[in-house]
Tab-separated table of all heavy atoms in Angstrom:
chain	number	residue	atom	x	y	z
A	322	THR	N	6.156	2.011	5.527
A	322	THR	CA	7.380	2.107	6.325
A	322	THR	C	7.103	2.966	7.533
A	322	THR	O	6.094	3.677	7.600
A	322	THR	CB	8.520	2.754	5.522
A	322	THR	OG1	8.245	4.151	5.356
A	322	THR	CG2	8.689	2.089	4.178
A	323	THR	N	8.000	2.923	8.496
A	323	THR	CA	8.016	3.862	9.592
A	323	THR	C	9.200	4.789	9.367
A	323	THR	O	10.359	4.359	9.475
A	323	THR	CB	8.133	3.167	10.951
A	323	THR	OG1	7.115	2.166	11.041
A	323	THR	CG2	7.966	4.140	12.109
A	324	ALA	N	8.919	6.027	9.045
A	324	ALA	CA	10.008	6.962	8.666
A	324	ALA	C	10.246	7.965	9.760
A	324	ALA	O	9.310	8.444	10.442
A	324	ALA	CB	9.620	7.702	7.378
A	325	VAL	N	11.508	8.342	9.940
A	325	VAL	CA	11.863	9.431	10.848
A	325	VAL	C	11.918	10.714	9.992
A	325	VAL	O	12.597	10.782	8.958
A	325	VAL	CB	13.250	9.199	11.471
A	325	VAL	CG1	13.613	10.362	12.401
A	325	VAL	CG2	13.224	7.873	12.279
A	326	LEU	N	11.152	11.712	10.400
A	326	LEU	CA	10.984	12.892	9.565
A	326	LEU	C	12.058	13.958	9.872
A	326	LEU	O	12.601	14.036	10.966
A	326	LEU	CB	9.624	13.485	9.809
A	326	LEU	CG	8.438	12.549	9.439
A	326	LEU	CD1	7.120	13.187	9.749
A	326	LEU	CD2	8.498	12.180	7.987
A	327	ALA	N	12.320	14.732	8.836
A	327	ALA	CA	13.308	15.788	8.962
A	327	ALA	C	12.870	16.740	10.065
A	327	ALA	O	11.702	17.057	10.219
A	327	ALA	CB	13.441	16.561	7.634
A	328	GLY	N	13.841	17.197	10.840
A	328	GLY	CA	13.550	18.132	11.928
A	328	GLY	C	13.368	17.436	13.291
A	328	GLY	O	13.333	18.120	14.306
A	329	SER	N	13.282	16.111	13.276
A	329	SER	CA	13.110	15.425	14.571
A	329	SER	C	14.367	15.655	15.415
A	329	SER	O	15.478	15.401	14.957
A	329	SER	CB	12.936	13.929	14.383
A	329	SER	OG	13.008	13.255	15.615
A	330	PRO	N	14.213	16.110	16.654
A	330	PRO	CA	15.385	16.357	17.514
A	330	PRO	C	15.902	15.065	18.139
A	330	PRO	O	16.926	15.087	18.793
A	330	PRO	CB	14.854	17.301	18.566
A	330	PRO	CG	13.385	16.961	18.681
A	330	PRO	CD	12.959	16.563	17.296
A	331	HIS	N	15.185	13.953	17.927
A	331	HIS	CA	15.546	12.683	18.568
A	331	HIS	C	15.576	11.548	17.579
A	331	HIS	O	14.854	10.545	17.742
A	331	HIS	CB	14.586	12.380	19.705
A	331	HIS	CG	14.435	13.471	20.703
A	331	HIS	ND1	15.478	13.857	21.534
A	331	HIS	CD2	13.364	14.249	21.016
A	331	HIS	CE1	15.054	14.847	22.324
A	331	HIS	NE2	13.784	15.106	22.043
A	332	PRO	N	16.419	11.600	16.569
A	332	PRO	CA	16.462	10.550	15.559
A	332	PRO	C	16.901	9.194	16.111
A	332	PRO	O	16.442	8.150	15.629
A	332	PRO	CB	17.442	11.072	14.505
A	332	PRO	CG	18.307	12.030	15.249
A	332	PRO	CD	17.400	12.684	16.247
A	333	ALA	N	17.813	9.221	17.101
A	333	ALA	CA	18.246	7.931	17.695
A	333	ALA	C	17.093	7.202	18.352
A	333	ALA	O	16.893	6.002	18.134
A	333	ALA	CB	19.367	8.171	18.668
A	334	GLU	N	16.354	7.902	19.153
A	334	GLU	CA	15.229	7.286	19.853
A	334	GLU	C	14.091	6.936	18.873
A	334	GLU	O	13.429	5.892	19.008
A	334	GLU	CB	14.700	8.216	20.939
A	334	GLU	CG	15.630	8.360	22.121
A	334	GLU	CD	16.848	9.241	21.850
A	334	GLU	OE1	16.781	10.047	20.854
A	334	GLU	OE2	17.819	9.160	22.580
A	335	ALA	N	13.870	7.793	17.880
A	335	ALA	CA	12.832	7.542	16.903
A	335	ALA	C	13.155	6.292	16.094
A	335	ALA	O	12.277	5.455	15.848
A	335	ALA	CB	12.659	8.742	15.977
A	336	SER	N	14.404	6.146	15.679
A	336	SER	CA	14.756	4.976	14.887
A	336	SER	C	14.731	3.723	15.759
A	336	SER	O	14.395	2.625	15.279
A	336	SER	CB	16.128	5.137	14.258
A	336	SER	OG	17.136	5.383	15.261
Side-chain angles (χ1 to χ4, degrees):
T322 71
T323 307
V325 179
L326 299 178
S329 171
H331 305 295
E334 290 75 19
S336 58

